[in-house]
Each structure stands twice: as C-alpha cells, then as structure tokens.
C-alpha cells in the first residue's frame, strides 16, 4: 500500500472542518492532556489546515511558537489564511522525516491523524527525537483500530495504539503513556530517548 493511497488529499480539506469533529475530537481535551502553556515551542507534524496548530498557537502565545509542518502546500496555504494577525505560527513545507527545524529546539512534537499516513514511521521518530530538547515530549493522536465506522480512514490503513507504543519502547523512548481521546482516537505520549536512541 503506497503512501499516496493513505495520504489525506487536500481536496478533502473541508472534512477537517466538519463541526461534528469538534464533538468527536475535542481540541481542548487534547491541549489540556498535553499541558500546553505560554512560551512553549511546538511542532505540529502534518498540521493540515490548523485544527490543532491554531489553538496551540493561542495557548503558547505570545512568546511561544508553533511550527506547522506539512507536505502539501495547499494545506499550508489554507492554514495561512486562517492564521490571526500576529499569531506565533511558522509554516514549514516539509516531510515529517526532514523538517529542517533546529536540533533540540522543541518542547513538544505533536501529530494528529497523520501517523497512519506515514511511510517511514521510524524516520519520523528519529526526526522527532532530533527536534526535541532533552526531556521534550512526543504526542501522537490517531485513529483507534477497535472502532470501525465513519468518520476516519479504513481499518486497514490505521495504526493501532499498541503498535505505536511498541515502536516507541523498541526505540528507547521513555515515560510512555497512552489513553483514549475523543470518541474514536488515542493519544500516546513519550519522552525523548537519551543519547544513542531515537
Ligand atoms: C488527516 S490530515 C490531518 C491534519 C491535522 N493534523 C488535523 O488534525 O486536522 C493529515 C495531514 O498530514 C499531512 N501529511 C501526510 N504525510 C505527511 C508527511 N510525510 N510529512 C508531512 N505531512 C504529512 C497531509 O498533507 C495532511 O495535511
């Protein structure tokens, strides 16, 4: 199965704005679980049109920053339109595995409903570890595999919570926590591996 079959195409961007989504994936619940606060520097991998990146920017303002990384320039163009004047959001057109952001610069690397779209999750983890400051956290929100109903990608495209946890454990990430989020999702968080791991 190729990446292009799984990738959420920008022509469907409007689906990310479905008002129902606010009910089944409440932004506040996620932001609270992440402990986001003023001054934090965050990368949102696969930020799309900013469902999380924009409220995150409001939470870390004025001194913090959100780097909104996405492969599809059309998504970033839409995100730019939605960004309030002066909001601390930087658009980065790049792949999750090669963000070009500075080493050790991030307090949090976040991704929502993107993990299952990635071809090389190991490369994305290596890049995330590189971006994080010592003690920095990774947070992955994605679709549960035990609820097979719309909305969401087909079951065979999903990457379950257990697989994510196992992959993180295998690569030396620590303090791994995992919980349900919203109606169909999970949130896995972990702390950056020490020197030698990724
Ligand atoms: C389902 S959308 C989710 C967008 C946003 N996180 C949200 O929750 O509304 C997935 C996004 O991930 C992006 N994406 C997929 N693979 C990527 C990769 N390898 N690197 C960067 N972005 C990627 C897609 O372009 C798309 O905008």
């Amino acid at each position: 199965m190729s990446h292009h079959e799984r990738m959420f195409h920008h022509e469907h961007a409007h689906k990310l704005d479905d008002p129902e989504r606010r009910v089944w994936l409440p932004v506040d619940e996620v932001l609270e679980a992440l402990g986001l606060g003023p001054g934090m520097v965050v990368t949102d991998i696969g930020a799309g049109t900013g469902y999380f990146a924009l409220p995150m920017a409001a939470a870390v303002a004025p001194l913090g920053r959100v780097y909104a990384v996405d492969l599809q320039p059309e998504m970033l163009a839409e995100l730019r339109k939605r960004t309030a004047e002066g909001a601390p959001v930087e658009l980065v057109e790049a792949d999750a595995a090669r963000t070009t952001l500075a080493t050790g610069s991030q307090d949090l690397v976040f991704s929502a409903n993107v993990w299952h779209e990635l071809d090389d999750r190991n490369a994305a983890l290596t890049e995330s570890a590189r971006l994080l400051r010592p003690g920095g956290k990774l947070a992955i929100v994605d679709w549960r595999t035990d609820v097979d109903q719309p909305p969401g990608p087909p079951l065979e495209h999903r990457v379950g919570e257990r697989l994510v946890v196992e992959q993180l454990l295998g690569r030396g990430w620590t303090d791994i926590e995992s919980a349900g989020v919203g109606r169909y999702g999970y949130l896995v968080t972990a702390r950056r591996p020490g020197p030698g791991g990724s």
Side-chain angles (χ1 to χ4, degrees):
M1 185 165 38
S2 86
H3 173 62
H4 295 286
E5 276 170 54
R6 296 191 313 269
M7 184 150 84
F8 186 90
H9 196 266
H10 64 83
E11 279 166 13
H12 301 294
H14 63 275
K15 291 188 189 169
L16 301 172
D17 291 331
D18 180 351
E20 276 293 300
R21 191 174 184 218
R22 309 251 160 218
V23 179
W24 52 257
L25 184 56
V27 175
D28 289 350
E29 186 185 324
V30 175
L31 264 51
E32 206 179 300
L34 298 176
L36 269 199
M40 285 177 72
V41 178
V42 179
T43 299
D44 184 2
I45 302 282
T49 56
Y51 186 77
F52 286 102
L54 295 175
M56 282 178 159
V60 304
L63 297 178
R65 193 149 295 262
V66 174
Y67 294 92
V69 174
D70 207 289
L71 264 187
Q72 295 183 82
E74 296 87 352
M75 290 298 216
L76 293 175
E78 187 55 36
L79 174 46
R80 183 189 302 278
K81 279 192 223 157
R82 298 176 184 200
T83 306
E85 179 84 36
V89 179
E90 305 266 352
L91 306 183
V92 183
E93 186 186 326
D95 188 279
R98 290 172 295 278
T99 63
T100 72
L101 298 172
T103 299
S105 60
Q106 307 293 306
D107 296 307
L108 173 72
V109 172
F110 172 81
S111 97
N113 299 357
V114 173
W115 211 244
H116 69 276
E117 294 187 21
L118 300 179
D119 269 342
D120 190 346
R121 286 185 280 275
N122 278 324
L125 284 182
T126 302
E127 177 67 350
S128 300
R130 184 187 73 76
L131 293 179
L132 288 169
R133 64 160 169 78
K137 269 192 176 180
L138 172 68
I140 297 170
V141 171
D142 214 342
W143 295 92
R144 279 161 50 185
T145 47
D146 59 340
V147 267
D148 181 19
Q149 62 189 90
L155 251 193
E156 66 270 21
H157 289 193
R158 299 185 188 192
V159 176
E161 183 173 7
R162 260 214 1 239
L163 259 184
V164 174
V165 168
E166 278 166 16
Q167 190 174 19
L168 289 166
L169 271 174
R171 298 176 66 88
W173 291 73
T174 62
D175 298 335
I176 301 174
E177 287 177 29
S178 159
V181 73
R183 203 177 290 165
Y184 311 113
Y186 61 79
L187 167 65
V188 174
T189 59
R191 230 172 261 291
R192 199 192 85 161
S198 66

